[in-house]
Amino acid sequence: MVQYNFKKITVVPSGKDFIDIILSRTQRQTPTVVHKGYAISRLRQFYMRKVKFTQQNFHEKLSAIIDEFPRLDDIHPFYGDLLHVLYNKDHYKLALGQINTARNLIGKIAKDYVRLLKYGDSLYRCKCLKVAALGRMCTVIKRIGPSLAYLEQIRQHMARLPSIDPNTRTILICGYPNVGKSSFINKITRADVDVQPYAFTTKSLFVGHTDYKYLRYQVIDTPGILDRPFEDRNIIEMCSITALAHLRAAVLFFLDISGSCGYSIAQQAALFHSIKSLFMNKPLIIVCNKTDLQPFDGLSDEDKKLVMEMKDEAMKTVIGQGGEAINDDGVLLTMSTLTEEGVMAVKNAACERLLNQRVELKMKSKKMNDCLNRFHVAIPKPRDQKERPACIPQAVLEAKAKAVTEKEKRKLEKELESENGGAGVYSANLKKNYILASDEWKEDIMPEIIDGHNVADFIDPDILQRLEELEREEGLRLEHEADDDDFEMDGKELTPEEQEALAEIRKKKSLLIQQHRIKKSTAESRPTVPRKFDKDRKFTSERMGRQLSALGLDPTSAVNRARSRSVSRRGRKRERSLAREDSDVDAMDMDVDQPGKKLRMRSRSRSRSRSRPPGDVTPGEGFKDSAQKVKAMKLAKKSVKNRNKDARRGEADRVIPTLKPKHLFSGKRSIGKTSRR
């Protein structure tokens, strides 16, 4: 759990915003109406309340700023020195001291003016004293405006600092710039530190987390350090020095043995010897990086001698801790972050060394002695001289050995991905673990839905055999139907002319069936065209006569019947139009004696179209007959009778919404009523 969370510090307003916030709160949360006719005691109390309320608000806001910013003497020395490096301890304390002084001054101003207001003899004098008190308070806040702006910048920067726990298991990476520190932390954690081929890409501390033996380790990437006097180091380098000085961590000192970082091994060895005092009482590992460019065995004798001297110093540091001497291989390690060779070995060695050191320190502490007094280890006494080793069945051992071999043979998806082009190129095969009768079936395309049906409902292992049986039955049935068909003529007893006519009829019938099927398939997307808009003239009596004549039939009766139908239709239409004209003439005769033209037009329109009675039922209304509709209309009229009698507003009345609701536009609001905003 992170002990220090600087992201929770409240925003520090500027001097002008500070004054606006406090005066606005005073205006909103204190009474504003006062009359000169009030008693003088009431007037004094009114303005004294204003001054006291303003002072309390200033005091609360300034106290919150002082309390929320960390005190450098009370927090962990790592954070205390880091804040001193970043912001200068003196300026930081001066700014907070000015805030505290302003808080005390505002309290004294309020106290003095409340004492003066007790002797105010008029509304005007009390008001002048109140204005003077609030003005002097605001002047004090204006004077500390630069300190408020400075603290706000510090707050923003502190909120961006990494959340480092100084007391947890920590691995610290240090070395010259551009030796591969950020690449290493990106490999072993999920941190995303920017990596560039130039020095000082990392300008601040970065934190990542990794796991080892079910424990969480915090890995800190520090900016590069140059070999120069302590006074000449800049803020970026001092961040690394601060972390090395105060964090109890396993230190990984990175060496670039290829020289591609721009610094020789001699320069890096000089840096190691200049800061080796910071490595005391800490597990130290010297990591030779970039072995893909320069193998360790290919170094010159001078460079190897320098590296071995560093290794001896690291061994002295380890033995000087009070712990036991460790293996030489655990102090000097080689790796390459590009090929990832040796990366996990370095991580595991650092975690193991740190874990052993923490266990040793706990074993030496007094707390461990208190805990050991509570334990009792019971050792059973042997009852005879017979050996009783642990008995593990042979089947279990074989199964375990088989599982280990399978695990070694089986490749993980991550390994397959790296072998086949990496992320975005390799696509995992989700079908390779399907349990099927044959491995060849795994890549078959399996449709799920066909023609709106679920394929799984129709899966049958004997489907092909049943299909053959159905086709056989269908063929037998068609043969029987052909034998029993009495409606179709086989043409054996017809003359050659009749056989030709029969062939034409059957051909025409098949064409008509095909046209009908085409029209039926496109019926949804094709509009229905009336016969009178038949531009292609497909349905004329002359064409019908020609087709019947071509078939050897007499078309006279059919053509006459079609013509008689059209004539009768036109005759009925003509009769209706004549009847309408006669009714119009009669209406005009009736309107001769009427005085106005409007009345004549109204009688003429009524004669042309008469409205349907209210009780008539039209299709789609949902009524069975006229009686049911009349009954429903009576019930509807009865249901609104009381509402109409009381002149209440109904669904047909015009609605004018309230444009300025009273609760939003009237007077002052009490405390707590603005939370809905």
Side-chain angles (χ1 to χ4, degrees):
M1 181 178 178
V2 179
Q3 189 175 358
Y4 305 102
N5 188 3
F6 300 136
K7 295 179 176 62
K8 292 184 178 180
I9 300 176
T10 310
V11 177
V12 180
S14 63
K16 184 176 182 302
D17 294 341
F18 208 120
I19 294 170
D20 293 342
I21 290 168
I22 300 300
L23 295 185
S24 174
R25 186 179 295 176
T26 303
Q27 179 72 8
R28 284 185 289 109
Q29 297 185 6
T30 56
T32 54
V33 179
V34 66
H35 299 290
K36 60 182 179 181
Y38 287 167
I40 190 63
S41 59
R42 186 173 178 184
L43 294 175
R44 291 169 183 164
Q45 192 65 32
F46 178 84
Y47 287 108
M48 286 166 62
R49 181 177 177 183
K50 293 261 187 190
V51 174
K52 287 180 180 178
F53 187 83
T54 307
Q55 183 266 335
Q56 288 174 358
N57 282 328
F58 274 122
H59 188 275
E60 289 174 2
K61 294 284 285 184
L62 294 174
S63 299
I65 294 172
I66 295 171
D67 295 338
E68 288 182 354
F69 275 88
R71 296 186 179 183
L72 301 184
D73 298 333
D74 297 342
I75 61 176
H76 193 277
F78 164 68
Y79 272 116
D81 282 0
L82 184 64
L83 296 182
H84 173 57
V85 167
L86 294 174
Y87 316 122
N88 194 333
K89 184 191 300 183
D90 298 333
H91 292 176
Y92 179 79
K93 288 186 175 181
L94 277 175
L96 288 177
Q98 288 182 354
I99 300 296
N100 188 32
T101 303
R103 181 178 65 177
N104 297 333
L105 283 176
I106 288 173
K108 290 180 181 178
I109 291 170
K111 186 177 180 181
D112 293 342
Y113 276 90
V114 166
R115 187 182 294 118
L116 290 174
L117 278 167
K118 288 181 180 178
Y119 302 100
D121 56 356
S122 66
L123 170 65
Y124 176 74
R125 187 160 297 177
C126 291
K127 184 174 182 180
C128 289
L129 288 172
K130 186 265 296 185
V131 171
L134 267 60
R136 288 189 60 186
M137 293 180 192
C138 295
T139 303
V140 172
I141 296 297
K142 285 181 181 178
R143 287 177 182 172
I144 63 170
S147 297
L148 293 172
Y150 173 71
L151 289 175
E152 172 60 14
Q153 290 182 358
I154 289 180
R155 184 201 67 81
Q156 294 178 2
H157 194 275
M158 289 173 67
R160 294 192 292 267
L161 287 177
S163 298
I164 298 175
D165 189 354
N167 301 314
T168 190
R169 294 168 293 273
T170 306
I171 298 173
L172 199 62
I173 309 171
C174 66
Y176 256 95
N178 204 22
V179 295
K181 302 186 295 296
S182 300
S183 301
F184 178 73
I185 192 175
N186 287 344
K187 294 293 182 183
I188 67 170
T189 68
R190 287 188 294 177
D192 187 15
V193 186
D194 188 22
V195 176
Q196 297 294 341
Y198 49 81
F200 286 109
T201 307
T202 305
K203 296 183 176 64
S204 61
L205 300 177
F206 283 90
V207 181
H209 294 84
T210 186
D211 293 331
Y212 177 73
K213 288 187 177 179
Y214 304 104
L215 293 175
R216 179 59 57 90
Y217 288 78
Q218 126 182 310
V219 186
I220 300 178
D221 179 23
T222 62
I225 309 172
L226 298 179
D227 183 22
R228 51 185 176 179
F230 190 81
E231 302 81 22
D232 296 340
R233 291 196 169 106
N234 55 24
I235 294 177
I236 297 176
E237 294 175 88
M238 288 305 297
C239 291
S240 302
I241 299 296
T242 304
L244 284 170
H246 293 289
L247 293 179
R248 295 170 53 189
V251 180
L252 299 179
F253 187 84
F254 271 55
L255 278 176
D256 183 3
I257 59 176
S258 67
S260 60
C261 64
Y263 305 98
S264 64
I265 295 181
Q267 291 175 306
Q268 298 178 58
L271 172 66
F272 176 84
H273 291 295
S274 66
I275 64 172
K276 66 182 178 181
S277 59
L278 300 174
F279 303 149
M280 295 303 295
N281 299 325
K282 296 173 185 173
L284 174 62
I285 297 176
I286 300 171
V287 181
C288 297
N289 193 18
K290 303 186 182 179
T291 55
D292 55 318
L293 299 177
Q294 173 64 56
F296 183 75
D297 297 334
L299 291 176
S300 63
D301 295 337
E302 295 179 0
D303 292 341
K304 278 189 179 180
K305 184 179 178 182
L306 291 173
V307 174
M308 289 304 167
E309 289 177 358
M310 296 168 61
K311 178 181 176 182
D312 296 339
E313 290 290 339
M315 291 291 295
K316 292 178 183 178
T317 305
V318 172
I319 298 174
Q321 299 174 20
E324 57 183 9
I326 62 170
N327 189 7
D328 294 354
D329 298 336
V331 176
L332 179 63
L333 297 174
T334 59
M335 73 167 190
S336 171
T337 53
L338 182 64
T339 61
E340 298 187 12
E341 180 183 356
V343 171
M344 297 311 295
V346 171
K347 170 203 156 184
N348 294 341
C351 295
E352 188 67 31
R353 293 273 306 280
L354 180 63
L355 193 61
N356 292 338
Q357 189 212 29
R358 290 172 68 93
V359 170
E360 289 175 6
L361 292 176
K362 286 184 178 179
M363 291 296 292
K364 293 177 182 178
S365 64
K366 295 180 180 180
K367 186 177 180 181
M368 184 55 63
N369 294 329
D370 297 337
C371 294
L372 288 176
N373 293 334
R374 304 176 194 170
F375 293 111
H376 172 69
V377 181
I379 301 175
K381 293 182 180 180
R383 61 187 179 188
D384 50 24
Q385 301 300 325
K386 186 178 180 180
E387 292 289 335
R388 292 180 175 85
C391 179
I392 301 175
Q394 186 65 27
V396 175
L397 294 175
E398 293 176 358
K400 184 179 179 181
K402 184 179 179 181
V404 170
T405 54
E406 288 181 356
K407 188 175 181 181
E408 291 175 354
K409 291 179 182 178
R410 189 179 69 229
K411 287 188 177 181
L412 300 178
E413 286 292 333
K414 186 176 182 181
E415 298 172 358
L416 294 174
E417 180 182 349
S418 60
E419 291 176 1
N420 296 312
V425 179
Y426 172 73
S427 180
N429 186 6
L430 303 178
K431 298 180 180 180
K432 64 182 179 182
N433 294 324
Y434 283 1
I435 302 173
L436 299 175
S438 175
D439 291 339
E440 298 175 356
W441 299 348
K442 290 183 179 180
E443 301 300 329
D444 290 349
I445 298 174
M446 296 183 297
E448 296 181 0
I449 303 295
I450 292 180
D451 297 335
H453 299 290
N454 190 354
V455 176
D457 296 338
F458 299 92
I459 292 177
D460 189 352
D462 303 331
I463 190 168
L464 296 176
Q465 181 180 354
R466 296 188 181 186
L467 179 62
E468 292 177 359
E469 293 177 359
L470 287 174
E471 289 177 348
R472 204 178 306 119
E473 292 178 3
E474 183 71 16
L476 294 174
R477 189 176 62 81
L478 291 175
E479 290 178 2
H480 289 304
E481 286 182 357
D483 295 340
D484 299 338
D485 193 2
D486 297 329
F487 298 95
E488 291 291 337
M489 293 182 293
D490 55 0
K492 293 180 180 179
E493 65 275 7
L494 298 178
T495 61
E497 293 81 3
E498 291 174 344
Q499 288 180 0
E500 292 179 1
L502 180 61
E504 287 291 332
I505 291 172
R506 287 178 175 172
K507 184 178 179 182
K508 185 64 177 177
K509 182 179 177 182
S510 64
L511 290 174
L512 290 174
I513 291 173
Q514 290 178 5
Q515 289 180 1
H516 174 69
R517 287 177 179 171
I518 292 172
K519 289 182 179 180
K520 189 176 180 182
S521 64
T522 60
E524 295 179 357
S525 59
R526 178 174 51 81
T528 304
V529 182
R531 291 252 177 121
K532 65 179 181 178
F533 298 115
D534 183 19
K535 301 294 178 59
D536 298 335
R537 308 293 293 173
K538 291 183 179 179
F539 306 102
T540 58
S541 56
E542 290 82 0
R543 181 178 176 184
M544 182 180 67
R546 288 196 300 271
Q547 290 177 350
L548 291 175
S549 300
L551 295 175
L553 301 175
D554 185 11
T556 308
S557 59
V559 172
N560 290 336
R561 185 166 65 252
R563 287 177 178 172
S564 66
R565 283 183 179 178
S566 62
V567 168
S568 63
R569 190 180 297 114
R570 284 199 300 272
R572 285 197 300 271
K573 191 181 296 184
R574 177 66 177 168
E575 290 173 1
R576 284 198 299 271
S577 62
L578 289 174
R580 190 180 296 115
E581 290 176 1
D582 294 341
S583 62
D584 291 345
V585 172
D586 295 341
M588 291 177 66
D589 293 340
M590 291 171 64
D591 293 340
V592 169
D593 298 332
Q594 299 297 329
K597 182 179 179 182
K598 185 183 293 184
L599 196 59
R600 290 199 302 273
M601 294 299 292
R602 187 183 303 159
S603 63
R604 188 180 304 169
S605 64
R606 283 179 180 173
S607 66
R608 286 176 182 168
S609 63
R610 297 179 181 274
S611 61
R612 185 180 293 107
D616 283 2
V617 179
T618 57
E621 286 185 333
F623 295 109
K624 182 173 63 175
D625 50 12
S626 298
Q628 190 181 26
K629 184 175 180 181
V630 171
K631 186 176 180 181
M633 292 170 63
K634 287 182 179 179
L635 288 174
K637 193 173 182 180
K638 186 177 179 181
S639 65
V640 297
K641 184 177 180 181
N642 293 332
R643 188 193 66 200
N644 294 340
K645 186 188 295 185
D646 297 339
R648 294 201 301 270
R649 186 172 66 180
E651 60 185 7
D653 291 318
R654 183 182 177 196
V655 178
I656 301 176
T658 306
L659 298 179
K660 299 182 77 174
K662 186 174 182 181
H663 71 283
L664 287 179
F665 292 93
S666 64
K668 292 175 64 63
R669 292 175 295 281
S670 60
I671 297 174
K673 290 298 180 66
T674 55
S675 59
R676 57 183 169 72
R677 291 185 178 178

